[in-house]
Amino acid sequence: MQLRYNYRVYPTPAQQEALARAFGCARVVFNDGLRARQQAREQGLPYLSDGELSKRVITEAKRTPQRAWLGEVSAVVLQQALADLNTAYRNFFASITGKRKGRKVAPPRLRSRKDNRQAIRFTRNARFCVLDNGRLRLPKIGDLHVRWSRQLPADPSSVTIIQDAAGRHFASFVVQVDAPPLPPVASEVGIDLGLTHFAVLSDGTKVAAPKFLRRAARKLRRLQQDLSRKAKGSANRKKAVVKVARAHARVADKRRDWQHKLSTRIVRENQAVYVEDLCVVGLGRTRLAKSVHDAGWASLSGCWSTRPPAPAASSARSTGLRPRAGHARSAAGSTDRSRCPSGRGPARAA
């Protein structure tokens, strides 16, 4: 299975400029490719193939004075930006033709330079590597200092450098691993997700809902008031936006870490996990439906995935659950268990 491991990186000021340049070039290539296909459609021309689009917006564009600065970044970054555009178009076409299930997918849109979140991707063709001293070497960027919270279980196939709204940088590695099975256990547990408590287990354990956001509400209110007083487009407003984003990021990190620890403990201590099926269809788009969804299913959305209901062992309406990739579980009664390869909490599927 493919897993994704995220690590915090600390680029130097010069490396931050190189990353900003790479973010901008990838965004320009994405937008140029999108405009080229939109213009071809408006003029009644055939759909531009992936190869023709790459030749037009990357290879030929580098030879023009207007896009000569595209050569300052790695070509793999530009190719991956164009690959994201091609994937977005394929998902859109599959959605409108009915081949893709679920909600309808909108056509790709232009990327904005004002977006606080930016990302670029390097594949093995870029020849990125992790040095013996622990630094991550990226072409035309340099050696980035990485804070390794755990070791990678295998050589990564790609790495994505992400800059979030709070101005932090992360390296996200995609690796191929084989999760060893966990030893079988005899215990099973049922979970009732509620409002007053985050969860109530069948053995009587009550898990209190942490109030990370309420604790930080006063500080967030003050920061948002300061943001509202800043003139739009000013440098002070940009600084205030980053402060608000950092405050929200701290709350999100605490909540995510707590959820991972809780889900890991429940999964490793029990052979099967059952969660009450919360039926809120009749509520529609009311505030009660949203509150039930947020307190119930959405709270574990980062750690769990549903499966069809197992054969009912009791009259209670329940749904068998298994954790996401890294904690594979079989149906009730089976002993097939898999362990997260390393680190604290389940790793996210790529």
Side-chain angles (χ1 to χ4, degrees):
M1 70 181 73
Q2 284 188 339
L3 300 181
R4 186 177 294 275
Y5 289 79
N6 295 335
Y7 302 91
R8 182 79 180 271
V9 297
Y10 298 89
T12 62
Q15 292 172 348
Q16 291 181 9
E17 294 181 2
L19 287 174
R21 190 180 305 112
F23 292 146
C25 291
R27 184 179 62 251
V28 168
V29 168
F30 184 93
N31 293 341
D32 288 348
L34 180 57
R35 291 193 189 96
R37 281 182 171 160
Q38 289 176 346
Q39 292 175 0
R41 181 177 182 273
E42 293 173 356
Q43 298 174 5
L45 301 177
Y47 179 80
L48 293 177
S49 62
D50 298 349
E52 178 64 23
L53 191 64
S54 175
K55 178 181 178 181
R56 181 179 302 185
V57 301
I58 296 180
T59 306
E60 296 179 355
K62 289 182 179 180
R63 303 170 184 172
T64 62
Q66 295 81 7
R67 294 288 187 267
W69 36 265
L70 291 177
E72 299 177 2
V73 301
S74 173
V76 175
V77 172
L78 307 181
Q79 292 290 348
Q80 290 302 307
L82 209 56
D84 292 340
L85 176 64
N86 299 331
T87 302
Y89 264 109
R90 284 193 293 268
N91 293 337
F92 170 65
F93 293 145
S95 178
I96 61 178
T97 56
K99 297 180 180 179
R100 180 185 177 94
K101 306 301 181 181
R103 299 177 58 183
K104 296 297 182 181
V105 178
R109 298 179 298 179
L110 296 174
R111 292 182 177 179
S112 174
R113 63 182 180 85
K114 296 182 180 180
D115 190 358
N116 292 328
R117 187 185 186 280
Q118 304 288 338
I120 54 176
R121 185 168 61 255
F122 297 87
T123 60
R124 290 176 178 174
N125 295 334
R127 297 182 180 180
F128 71 91
C129 62
V130 179
L131 304 179
D132 295 336
N133 57 5
R135 291 183 177 269
L136 174 62
R137 175 165 294 178
L138 299 177
K140 297 190 177 182
I141 291 179
D143 300 344
L144 297 178
H145 172 64
V146 184
R147 184 172 182 178
W148 299 99
S149 57
R150 53 182 172 177
Q151 296 296 326
L152 289 173
D155 293 335
S157 59
S158 66
V159 58
T160 303
I161 305 300
I162 304 171
Q163 177 182 320
D164 64 0
R168 304 176 301 178
H169 294 81
F170 297 89
S172 180
F173 298 90
V174 175
V175 297
Q176 186 77 24
V177 298
D178 295 328
L182 284 169
V185 295
S187 61
E188 296 182 357
V189 67
I191 302 178
D192 180 14
L193 302 177
L195 297 178
T196 57
H197 290 82
F198 178 80
V200 179
L201 306 185
S202 58
D203 57 4
T205 304
K206 293 184 178 180
V207 181
K211 302 177 181 179
F212 299 116
L213 185 59
R214 292 186 181 180
R215 296 172 185 173
R218 180 177 302 177
K219 183 176 182 180
L220 282 171
R221 181 169 59 250
R222 188 186 71 252
L223 293 176
Q224 289 170 347
Q225 289 174 350
D226 294 340
L227 174 61
S228 64
R229 297 188 182 102
K230 301 297 186 294
K232 293 185 178 180
S234 63
N236 289 334
R237 185 177 180 85
K238 294 181 181 179
K239 296 178 183 178
V241 169
V242 174
K243 291 182 180 180
V244 173
R246 288 176 179 175
H248 279 286
R250 282 192 290 268
V251 175
D253 291 344
K254 292 180 181 178
R255 181 173 60 249
R256 191 179 301 111
D257 180 69
W258 178 82
Q259 291 178 354
H260 282 183
K261 289 180 179 179
L262 175 63
S263 62
T264 302
R265 179 174 61 85
I266 293 176
V267 165
R268 291 180 177 177
E269 294 178 354
N270 299 277
Q271 179 68 24
V273 179
Y274 302 90
V275 177
E276 181 185 2
D277 186 7
L278 299 177
C279 182
V280 293
V281 177
L283 297 178
R285 296 187 177 182
T286 62
R287 291 186 178 181
L288 179 60
K290 183 179 184 301
S291 63
V292 171
H293 178 270
D294 293 343
W297 292 104
S299 301
L300 286 177
S301 60
C303 306
W304 306 84
S305 63
T306 59
R307 58 164 53 179
S314 63
S315 60
R317 186 181 182 186
S318 61
T319 301
L321 289 192
R322 64 176 180 180
R324 294 180 65 180
H327 285 292
R329 281 290 189 277
S330 61
S334 174
T335 58
D336 181 17
R337 311 176 73 215
S338 301
R339 181 181 298 275
C340 179
S342 63
R344 181 180 62 191
R348 295 191 306 167

